[in-house]
Amino acid sequence: MSNTHWLYRKENHRKLWFGGGILLLLTVLAQWVFEIHGQYEFEAWLGFFGVFGFVSCVLMVLFAKLLGLLIKRKDNYYHD
Amino acid sequence: MIEAFPPGLIMVFGAFLLPVLRGGVRTVWLLGLPLLALYLVWQVPDGVVATVSFLDYRLEPLRGDRLSRLFATIFGLMAFVGGIYAYRQARLLELCAAMIYAGAAIGATMAGDLISLFVCWELMALGSTLVIWSVGKDKAYGAGMRYLLIHLLGGVVLMAGIAAYVNATGSVAFNAIDTSAPGAWLMLVGFLINAGAPPLSAWIADAYPEASPSGTVFLSAFTTKTAVYVLMRGFPGTEILIFIGLAMIFYGIIYALLENDVRRILAYSIVNQVGFMVTGIGIGTELAINGAAAHAFAGVIYTSLLMMSAGAVLYRTGRRKCSELGGLLQGMPFTTACGVIGALAISAFPLSSGFISKLMTKQAAADEHLLLIWLLLQAASAGVFLSVGIKFPWFVFFEKNSGLRPPEAPLNMRVAMGLFASLCIFLGVAPGFLYAFLPFAVDYVPYTGGHVVMQLQLLLFSGLAFFVLLPLMKRTLTISLDLDWFYRRFAPALVRLCFRLSTPIDRALRRGVVERLSRLIQSLHTWCGPQGVVGRAWATGPMVVVVLLLLSGTLAFYFGGT
C-alpha cells in the first residue's frame, strides 16, 4: 500500500524537523518575555529546563538500554 | 443509625441484578447504577452518617468529607464512562464484576472505620480478579491468579496491621495513623501493595494487559487510586513515601521505555503516575496533598482514556505490540486524537488536566526546599513524555505505515473516549473547577508565563531526545524481566531444585526404613509365624509338661513368698 498521508512522505520529513527546531527555539526565547521566577536562581538561566529535560531523557534512555541487555528476554519467555 | 444510603452498596447489590435483565433495560441499569451512586455520594453530608454495631466496635460505613467525595466522584464517573465503553463488547461477567469492583472502591473511600474499609478492600480484590478471569483464557487465568495471590497477601498484611492497631488504640476509626502505633507499618505495607510500590509492583503490568480491552480500562482506575486515597488519609507527610514514590516513578519510566506491549507500557505508566501522587503524600503539605488529589482525579481520566484508545486498537486489529502496529492514524483518526489527548495529559502539557495537577506536586517540593526531589520530579516529567507521551502515540498511530487500515472504534467506545478526552481538556483549561473540590483551599496559580515556558521546554526537549535517540528505541519482540520473575521462575525453580536434591536422600531414607521394616517383619515371621517357635502348634505331650512346669513355678513362688 502506498504512503499517501503527508506524514509519511519523505519530502516532508525535513520540513517537520525544521518546524520542530523552530518550535524548540521559540520555547527557549520565550523566556525573555515570560521570565521563570522559581525557588532557585538557576531556573532563570536561558534554556535551563530544555537542557535539563534533554539530558535527563538521554540518561534515562541509556540506562534503560543498559538494563535491557540484562533483563530483556523473548516475549514468550513465560509461555514457551 | 443510617441517615443516607451507602452509594457503593447500591452498585454492589445492583450488579447482581444485571444477569436477570435483558437488552436495553440491562444497559440502562448498567449506566444508571453509577449515576445513582454519584447522586448518593453528593447527598452524603460531612461527617459520619451511618453507624453499625459489630462485635464490640462501632463501625462507620458511611462518612463524608471533601477528600472522600472527590475520590468517590471520580470512581462513579469512571464506572459510568467505562460502562459506556464496555456495554456492547464486554461479557456479562465482566460488567457485573466491574460494577461490584467500582462499588467496593466507592465504599472504601467513604468508609469511616478500618473494618468497613477492609471489607471493601477485599471485595475490590475479588471484583477485579473476576474482571481479569472473565476473558476466559488460560493466560488471563494465570495472570488473574497471580494478581489475586498478591492482593490476598496484601489483605492479610493489612488485616494483621489493623488487628494490632485496633488492639493497641482501642479504636477502629480510620483517620491519620500514628506511625509509631503498633501495626501502623503493616497497614502501610498493605496499602502500598495495592498502590503498586516496589518490590511488589510487577502485578500491574502482569495482570492488567491480560484483561479484555474494557476490563483493562476498569482495572486501571480503581485499585491503585484507592490506595492513593487511603495513603492520603492515613499517612500524609510520612517521609518514606517520598522515596517510595520516586522509586515508583523511575521504575515506571524505565520499564515503559523497554516495553513493546502497548498495554504493558500504559500499565507501567500507571505506576509512575501513582509514584507522583505517593511522593506528594510523602511531602504532606496542603499544596502537596491537593496536588496528589488533583493528580489522582485527573489521572483516572487520562489513564483510562489511554487504555481505552489502546483497547480500541486491540479490539479492531487484534494486535497489542508496538512492533506490529503503526500508522493507524489513517484508519482510526478519532481514536488517534483521543490517544494523543490522553498522552498530552499524562505528560502534563499546558491546557491539559495533567498540567494543573502535576505542577502542584513539583511546586510543593520546591516550597519545602527539597532540591534533589524537585530536580528528580522535573526529570520524571520529561521522562513520562518520553516513555509514554510520545512513545505510545508514535509507535501505535504514527511512525511507519504498517499497512493496517482498521475501521474506526465502535460508536460506544468513541463516545466514552470523547467524553474523557473532553474532560482532560476542560479540566486543563478551567483549573478552578477541579480546584474547588480539592481537600484544602487552593491559592496556586498554574497558568503563569514562567510555568508554561518551563513545562514546554522540559517536554519539547524531551521530545527532541526521543527522536534523536529513536535508533536506540527500536522495538524488539521482548519482555523485560521484573521482580515477578522471583515468584514465576525463581521460586518454582528453587522448589524443583530442592526436590532434585532431596530425592536421593529421600530415596536412601525410604530404602533404609523399608529394609529395616522388612527385617523386623521377617524376624517376627520367623518367631511368631505359623512355623515360628512362638506361633506354631505344639503337640499335647510337651504342652502338658510346660503347663506342669508353670504351675509348679507358680506354687513355689507363692509359698516361697509367704
Side-chain angles (χ1 to χ4, degrees):
Chain A
M1 207 172 282
S2 63
N3 293 329
T4 50
H5 199 277
W6 62 270
L7 192 69
Y8 303 108
R9 285 186 216 136
K10 263 233 151 56
E11 67 268 24
N12 287 336
H13 287 183
R14 186 183 289 269
K15 285 181 203 162
L16 284 169
W17 272 104
F18 186 72
I22 297 281
L23 201 62
L24 290 175
L25 194 65
L26 282 177
T27 58
V28 174
L29 297 183
Q31 260 183 273
W32 283 337
V33 186
F34 304 105
E35 283 183 32
I36 298 176
H37 299 290
Q39 197 83 33
Y40 310 103
E41 207 177 292
F42 57 78
E43 289 183 65
W45 295 351
L46 192 68
F48 168 77
F49 285 100
V51 175
F52 183 76
F54 185 83
V55 172
S56 312
C57 286
V58 171
L59 291 176
M60 279 184 254
V61 170
L62 291 179
F63 178 75
K65 195 79 192 160
L66 285 174
L67 188 68
L69 296 175
L70 198 70
I71 62 170
K72 270 193 174 185
R73 297 287 184 280
K74 281 188 178 165
D75 67 352
N76 59 357
Y77 177 76
Y78 286 117
H79 301 283
D80 51 2
Chain B
M1 177 203 75
I2 296 178
E3 289 172 22
F5 197 80
L9 213 55
I10 201 148
M11 287 190 70
V12 172
F13 286 139
F16 287 99
L17 266 183
L18 284 171
V20 297
L21 301 173
R22 291 281 175 272
V25 181
R26 181 191 287 166
T27 308
V28 170
W29 186 243
L30 176 77
L31 301 179
L33 271 177
L35 291 180
L36 184 60
L38 276 173
Y39 171 76
L40 290 173
V41 165
W42 284 91
Q43 296 307 306
V44 177
D46 279 356
V48 177
V49 287
T51 53
V52 179
S53 289
F54 174 71
L55 302 177
D56 286 337
Y57 301 111
R58 181 171 166 270
L59 306 190
E60 300 169 353
L62 192 55
R63 173 180 62 181
D65 65 6
R66 294 175 72 86
L67 185 64
S68 58
R69 261 195 296 275
L70 182 79
F71 277 82
T73 302
I74 189 57
F75 290 159
L77 195 63
M78 176 63 233
F80 174 67
V81 178
I84 296 175
Y85 184 83
Y87 81 92
R88 288 185 66 181
Q89 288 78 24
R91 290 182 173 193
L92 179 60
L93 173 62
E94 180 189 311
L95 294 175
C96 295
M99 288 302 128
I100 293 171
Y101 180 27
I106 292 176
T109 58
M110 305 212 85
D113 69 278
L114 292 164
I115 294 173
S116 306
L117 173 72
F118 181 77
V119 171
C120 294
W121 199 258
E122 293 302 294
L123 198 55
M124 280 173 65
L126 294 178
S128 49
T129 306
L130 282 177
V131 168
I132 302 169
W133 280 348
S134 67
V135 172
K137 291 181 182 162
D138 285 351
K139 215 173 159 189
Y141 178 78
M145 185 55 85
R146 288 189 294 275
Y147 173 89
L148 182 63
L149 289 175
I150 293 283
H151 284 276
L152 292 181
L153 171 72
V156 168
V157 174
L158 178 62
M159 188 71 244
I162 291 174
Y165 183 79
V166 172
N167 186 45
T169 62
S171 163
V172 292
F174 177 39
N175 295 309
I177 292 163
D178 178 5
T179 47
S180 62
W185 287 99
L186 283 175
M187 285 162 73
L188 182 63
V189 170
F191 290 160
L192 282 170
I193 287 175
N194 267 28
L200 287 176
S201 1
W203 58 267
I204 295 182
D206 178 25
Y208 285 5
E210 301 310 326
S212 73
S214 49
T216 310
V217 172
F218 288 117
L219 291 164
S220 70
F222 301 118
T223 302
T224 50
K225 306 308 180 297
T226 310
V228 168
Y229 161 79
V230 291
L231 288 171
M232 203 174 279
R233 188 178 287 287
F235 296 95
T238 305
E239 201 176 315
I240 194 170
L241 290 179
I242 298 177
F243 305 103
I244 292 172
L246 286 169
M248 290 172 74
I249 291 173
F250 286 99
Y251 158 86
I253 291 173
I254 299 296
Y255 270 82
L257 277 173
L258 288 167
E259 191 53 57
N260 184 35
D261 185 307
V262 177
R263 292 197 300 169
R264 281 174 67 93
I265 293 174
L266 297 179
Y268 284 120
S269 79
I270 293 175
V271 183
N272 86 50
Q273 292 302 296
V274 173
F276 270 97
M277 299 165 208
V278 171
T279 306
I281 297 167
I283 294 170
T285 58
E286 288 192 359
L287 180 62
I289 296 293
N290 271 344
H295 200 164
F297 191 95
V300 167
I301 297 170
Y302 60 65
T303 306
S304 49
L305 176 60
L306 286 165
M307 285 296 190
M308 282 179 188
S309 61
V313 168
L314 175 65
Y315 181 73
R316 283 304 195 202
T317 65
R319 300 180 187 195
R320 48 188 278 187
K321 290 168 187 164
C322 285
S323 50
E324 298 170 347
L325 292 163
L328 296 187
L329 161 73
Q330 296 176 80
M332 306 178 82
F334 185 82
T335 305
T336 304
C338 292
V340 169
I341 290 171
L344 293 178
I346 200 172
S347 313
F349 240 85
L351 303 181
S352 75
S353 55
F355 181 80
I356 62 140
S357 49
K358 203 184 280 181
L359 257 68
M360 293 168 98
T361 308
K362 293 199 279 187
Q363 186 64 49
D367 288 353
E368 293 302 294
H369 307 289
L370 304 168
L371 174 60
L372 181 64
I373 287 148
W374 177 80
L375 282 172
L376 288 171
L377 288 176
Q378 295 289 14
S381 291
V384 171
F385 190 47
L386 179 82
S387 63
V388 185
I390 312 183
K391 182 177 171 177
F392 164 67
W394 178 254
F395 284 118
V396 176
F397 300 114
F398 302 100
E399 210 224 359
K400 68 180 193 300
N401 181 7
S402 62
L404 292 170
R405 290 292 182 279
E408 187 50 273
L411 180 64
N412 61 311
M413 289 188 174
R414 274 182 282 156
V415 170
M417 287 191 283
L419 278 171
F420 267 181
S422 311
L423 260 178
C424 280
I425 297 168
F426 172 72
L427 294 176
V429 173
F433 182 80
L434 179 56
Y435 286 179
F437 297 107
L438 295 182
F440 302 103
V442 180
D443 62 354
Y444 179 72
V445 183
Y447 287 110
T448 66
H451 286 164
V452 173
V453 170
M454 170 193 85
Q455 194 69 0
L456 280 177
Q457 277 191 21
L458 266 179
L459 298 182
L460 294 181
F461 277 85
S462 156
L464 175 68
F466 179 86
F467 288 108
V468 169
L469 301 173
L470 207 49
L472 288 179
M473 316 242 278
K474 207 166 157 249
R475 301 298 83 221
T476 49
L477 276 172
T478 50
I479 57 157
S480 304
L481 297 185
D482 203 328
L483 289 175
D484 61 346
W485 179 82
F486 283 98
Y487 53 82
R488 295 180 72 178
R489 276 292 155 105
F490 178 72
L494 193 66
V495 170
R496 277 197 298 273
L497 180 71
C498 288
F499 270 115
R500 235 194 348 259
L501 290 178
S502 64
T503 302
I505 302 168
D506 176 60
R507 216 171 268 159
L509 276 173
R510 279 165 198 267
R511 201 178 296 134
V513 171
V514 167
E515 270 173 20
R516 282 206 172 86
L517 274 175
S518 305
R519 273 208 295 274
L520 181 69
I521 291 167
Q522 190 61 46
S523 60
L524 279 173
H525 188 263
T526 310
W527 284 92
C528 308
Q531 304 307 319
V533 177
V534 181
R536 71 172 176 240
W538 287 14
T540 316
M543 272 303 288
V544 170
V545 174
V546 170
V547 170
L548 195 64
L549 282 173
L550 283 173
L551 276 173
S552 312
T554 307
L555 284 172
F557 182 71
Y558 178 74
F559 287 110
T562 55

